[in-house]
């Protein structure tokens, strides 16, 4: 992902953390920003011109790439998260390293077209159907890492421990179902042994994930947390997405999932709880007080009728916010950002819980930090040269003054307004077209058809 060349980009308008400035020149070398020149009204000689509003690259902090194959198919009739899950399992059953690579390459290309420069892939489809390991036990994870490289974006592979189908009692979980056998390594120790073989690359970092308290028995939570702690790696966990999870945890352990995670050393500044939807006041205090992050996925949470979480209260308590497209009902981080604010408006019947700048930080710097890319997500000297440019002259964005570009981006623009995506100083999307995957719609259609054949 590091490209050994020098390039200057001239940003017609640039979002510099708190405000929009016109005429900013950004020098890059070897994939990083070496200088930022403000008050540059015209492009310097040789500079690449980026018309519109340029943001730091966006971070999709929570992805299940294969869920993209479900788009549309689960929108017939009614149902719940649990009925949707059965359709998801049927799709997972058809994945192989080859079909998953093809699908993920197309999905990550779709992300690049949406201005996303880093993805957190919450990866739990590890083995062949029935649970038999592939010749390379990390074949599925390697397929995802390779797919991200070919699509031109960064990836944090959040290799996920998924050992049981439900909480059985205080000490153990129910065995995996037939569908879930390929998710499980049998024990947290076996999971850790397999994960330890994965290697980081320029474009790829390795993190850990606990699928949920229902999928990792309490006595094995600490093993996963310790693996991440020893490597100072990101640790993510689905947390209180469903009230049924809370009820089962209280019945077996006499506490909430958040309290259980706290007791076993899972919470902390490198940990991110995904969804954090159905929380008590004590849960919110534990998450915020420990510096544990919160990844909100509003388009998935509403698509699955999960409920509206308390992100404003979590952030006030000390939990950094990030955003993810999760099941990929849509892939649009601008939509995720505005949905978080608009959900809160519906819940409280008041407006203005986050500024546009705060929402963009959740979609960029704080998302990258949640994925272990602390050097990404800002336009400043020393940062990774990851940039996203949004048109200010489309039918959605034309009209407002450029100084209101952040507000326009968050509350009016869509992924379709992304004109340029630059990762490590390399143009991955130019003028709205992907430079590495020529026909992304066709690639998506072919990959999804192969799973339905």
């Amino acid at each position: 992902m590091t490209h050994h060349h020098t390039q200057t980009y001239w940003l017609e308008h640039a979002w510099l953390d708190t405000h929009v400035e016109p005429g900013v020149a950004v020098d890059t070398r070897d994939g990083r920003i070496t200088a930022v020149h403000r008050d540059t009204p015209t492009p310097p000689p040789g500079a690449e011109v980026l018309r519109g509003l340029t943001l730091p690259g966006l971070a999709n902090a929570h992805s299940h790439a294969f869920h993209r194959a479900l788009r549309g198919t689960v929108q017939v009739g009614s149902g719940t998260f649990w009925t949707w899950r059965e359709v998801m399992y049927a799709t997972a059953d058809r994945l192989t390293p080859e079909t998953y690579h093809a699908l993920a390459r197309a999905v990550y290309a779709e992300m690049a077209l949406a201005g996303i420069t880093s993805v957190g892939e919450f990866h739990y489809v590890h083995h062949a159907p029935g649970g038999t390991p592939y010749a390379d036990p990390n074949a599925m994870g390697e397929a995802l890492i390779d797919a991200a490289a070919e699509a031109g974006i960064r990836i944090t592979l959040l290799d996920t421990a998924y050992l049981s189908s439900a909480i059985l009692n205080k000490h153990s979980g129910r065995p995996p179902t037939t569908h879930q056998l390929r998710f499980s390594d049998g024990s947290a120790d076996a999971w850790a042994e397999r994960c330890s073989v994965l290697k980081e690359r320029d474009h790829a970092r390795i993190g850990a994930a606990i699928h949920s308290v229902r999928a990792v028995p309490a006595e094995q939570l600490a093993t996963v947390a310790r693996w991440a702690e020893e490597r100072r790696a990101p640790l993510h966990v689905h947390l209180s997405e469903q009230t049924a999870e809370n009820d089962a945890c209280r019945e077996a352990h006499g506490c909430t999932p958040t309290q259980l995670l706290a007791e076993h050393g899972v919470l902390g500044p490198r940990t991110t709880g995904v969804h954090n939807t159905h929380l008590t006041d004590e849960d919110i205090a534990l998450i915020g007080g420990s510096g544990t992050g919160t990844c909100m996925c509003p388009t998935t949470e509403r698509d699955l009728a999960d409920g509206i979480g308390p992100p404003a209260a979590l952030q006030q308590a000390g939990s950094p916010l990030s955003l993810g497209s999760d099941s990929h009902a849509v892939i649009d981080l601008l939509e995720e950002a505005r949905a978080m604010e608009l959900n809160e408006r519906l819940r409280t019947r008041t407006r203005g819980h986050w500024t546009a700048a705060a929402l963009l930080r959740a979609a960029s710097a704080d998302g990258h930090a949640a994925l272990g890319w602390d050097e990404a997500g800002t336009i400043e000297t020393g940062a990774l040269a990851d940039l996203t440019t949004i048109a200010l002259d489309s039918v959605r964005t034309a009209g407002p003054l450029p100084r209101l570009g952040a507000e326009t981006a968050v509350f009016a623009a869509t992924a379709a307004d992304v004109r340029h995506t630059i990762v490590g100083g390399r143009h991955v999307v130019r003028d709205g077209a992907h430079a590495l995957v020529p026909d992304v719609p066709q690639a998506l259609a072919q990959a999804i058809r192969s799973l339905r054949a």
Side-chain angles (χ1 to χ4, degrees), residues 47-48 61 66 118 136 146-147 151 217 244 284 296 299 394 413 416-417 433 435:
E48 286 206 42
F66 78 92
S118 295
D136 174 1
D146 291 346
I284 292 170
M296 298 299 295
T299 65
S394 77
D417 295 310

Side-chain angles (χ1 to χ4, degrees), residues 105-193:
R105 176 178 176 268
V107 173
Y108 296 154
E110 182 181 356
M111 291 184 192
L113 288 167
I116 292 162
T117 58
S118 295
V119 60
E121 184 60 43
F122 200 103
H123 165 56
Y124 54 81
V125 187
H126 301 305
H127 307 299
T132 304
Y134 290 104
D136 174 1
N138 286 306
M140 296 293 272
E142 293 290 348
L144 294 165
I145 290 171
D146 291 346
E150 293 176 28
I153 70 171
R154 306 181 194 278
I155 185 171
T156 298
L157 187 74
L158 298 161
D159 199 290
T160 305
Y162 194 132
L163 307 172
S164 60
S165 61
I167 299 171
L168 180 61
N169 55 45
K170 191 169 186 176
H171 302 289
S172 61
R174 297 186 185 278
T177 66
T178 301
H179 291 301
Q180 295 166 345
L181 285 172
R182 68 184 310 192
F183 307 163
S184 176
D185 291 293
S187 70
D189 286 333
W191 166 87
E193 182 179 355

